[in-house]
Amino acid sequence: MATIIFAAIEGEPLERFELAEAALVKTLIANLAGRHPNIAEMLVFKEDDDEPLAPDRPLHGHDNPIFHLHRCRQIKVAVNYKSDTFNHKFAPGTTIKRVTKWATKKAGLDEAEAQEHVLQISGTRIQPPQNAHLGSLKTDGCAIEFDLVRKQLVQG
Amino acid sequence: MEPVLGADERAFRSHVERPDFPIGEAKGQWRLVSIDWPHPVITVRAHDGTDWAFRFDLRGYPAALPNARPWDLASNAPLASNRWPRGTGRVAAAFNPNWNAAALYLPCDRLALAGHEQWLVQHPEKAWSPSRGIIHYLEIIHDLLASHQHLAAVRAAA
């Protein structure tokens, strides 16, 4: 039985991989050899996990088989909200949904207000999707800055 | 002999095979019900667990903007206006059958954008993106229905 996973390499789109049942993290890296100049330096993260997976860790048996390969062990996140800036380090496989949840909590927003706010990459109008991984965004080294902004009403 | 698919249908089918679509399905955010080109039906889950169906018009996809309207799966007909998703703020604005019962009031909807081109400047994050495709429209609907500005349905919609 094949092991089916989804994985993204840094800013590239997620891809579906069909691997042998016994495939390990290092199997995935080996399969991707030649695809990326820095593949040997990549760490493999399961979505929303804080720590990279060990090379001998099996890839099968994950409920949510979504992975991210990245050279950064952590991405330094700064979120601006009004006059405050919140800082935290997240793994590259962290979803925007999780970062948003952290940021709205730091901002002291209740659940209803939190849902009316979204992360926008500073200096842009780009609001990454909730399912996107931090590591998929264009980072400055291993850092990225967001503004926590209110979702706008479409009218007029 | 299999029918020849048009370029728009082929593009749509390739987009729903990209990982972001089945991942959204696995996370319970949306589900492809049927394709029946050019009118696929896709359900989107609200925060109360209700699956709302939307029938799309995707002629010319992905270059042409899509159009979507709430759909009644049981009768395979447009959802009656009094059964549309209800809510306040952003939700009430987007789901407004009194404006047009054949579209959602969103910058990514073909019928809604006509006459509202200023939205492309005001709401670039909601403008249609052919490269992202249908997932972009679905993310916007899901964000609205997942919001507490969406009032829970009295009964299941789909």
Side-chain angles (χ1 to χ4, degrees):
Chain A
M1 187 176 170
T3 294
I4 295 170
I5 66 163
F6 298 99
I9 306 172
E10 297 193 341
E12 295 177 15
L14 274 166
E15 279 186 64
R16 182 182 185 275
F17 292 92
E18 194 167 328
L19 305 168
E21 184 177 10
L24 308 173
V25 167
K26 61 186 179 187
T27 316
L28 176 64
I29 295 281
N31 276 19
L32 292 169
R35 281 277 307 277
H36 194 286
N38 306 104
I39 198 73
E41 302 169 30
M42 299 278 178
L43 298 167
V44 180
F45 298 85
K46 187 170 180 291
E47 183 175 270
D48 278 332
D49 276 4
D50 293 327
E51 297 296 327
L53 297 169
D56 289 326
R57 180 80 186 269
L59 288 170
H60 68 83
H62 295 275
D63 291 338
N64 185 28
I66 308 170
F67 301 88
H68 199 100
L69 286 74
H70 209 285
R71 281 169 288 178
C72 299
R73 188 181 187 93
Q74 290 183 310
I75 292 179
K76 186 178 174 185
V77 173
V79 176
N80 306 311
Y81 177 70
K82 295 183 177 175
S83 58
D84 294 324
T85 299
F86 313 121
N87 295 286
H88 195 68
K89 290 177 180 172
F90 291 94
T94 307
T95 56
I96 293 299
K97 181 178 182 178
R98 185 177 162 206
V99 179
T100 305
K101 195 170 182 179
W102 163 81
T104 53
K105 190 173 179 182
K106 294 294 285 186
L109 304 179
D110 64 24
E111 190 181 348
E113 264 303 291
Q115 289 176 346
E116 294 310 306
H117 287 74
V118 63
L119 290 179
Q120 180 168 285
I121 297 175
S122 297
T124 77
R125 294 292 299 271
I126 299 170
Q127 297 175 359
Q130 295 292 293
N131 288 345
H133 294 162
L134 267 180
S136 70
L137 308 177
K138 188 176 180 183
T139 55
D140 178 13
C142 295
I144 190 165
E145 184 176 342
F146 296 100
D147 300 322
L148 182 62
V149 300
R150 191 168 189 83
K151 294 174 183 174
Q152 292 186 324
L153 179 71
V154 175
Q155 58 185 350
Chain B
M1 187 173 164
E2 291 189 12
V4 177
L5 304 182
D8 48 5
E9 182 174 357
R10 278 187 279 117
F12 174 77
R13 287 178 181 270
S14 73
H15 282 184
V16 297
E17 286 175 3
R18 295 195 302 206
D20 50 3
F21 194 94
I23 285 173
E25 286 188 313
K27 290 183 177 180
Q29 295 170 329
W30 48 71
R31 181 175 64 86
L32 177 63
V33 176
S34 62
I35 292 183
D36 193 19
W37 196 257
H39 297 295
V41 174
I42 302 172
T43 58
V44 180
R45 184 159 299 170
H47 64 80
D48 63 348
T50 303
D51 290 324
W52 292 90
F54 296 89
R55 184 181 188 250
F56 287 82
D57 181 342
L58 297 181
R59 281 172 285 189
Y61 181 92
L65 271 69
N67 158 250
R69 67 192 304 172
W71 198 250
D72 185 340
L73 287 181
S75 59
N76 195 31
L79 192 67
S81 297
N82 63 357
R83 294 179 58 206
W84 275 42
R86 293 172 54 236
T88 60
R90 295 182 299 117
V91 174
F95 300 103
N96 182 3
N98 294 325
W99 163 72
N100 187 338
L104 305 188
Y105 198 65
L106 292 169
C108 56
D109 192 284
R110 180 169 66 239
L111 298 186
L113 183 64
H116 296 104
E117 287 76 14
Q118 75 276 12
W119 284 350
L120 299 177
V121 178
Q122 295 169 346
H123 306 286
E125 73 285 355
K126 291 187 178 64
W128 175 243
S129 167
S131 61
R132 292 211 69 223
I134 194 68
I135 201 92
H136 181 56
Y137 203 131
L138 295 174
E139 285 168 349
I140 292 171
I141 298 176
H142 182 258
D143 178 63
L144 290 165
L145 295 177
S147 161
H148 279 243
Q149 288 192 346
H150 165 55
L151 304 176
V154 176
R155 56 182 172 176

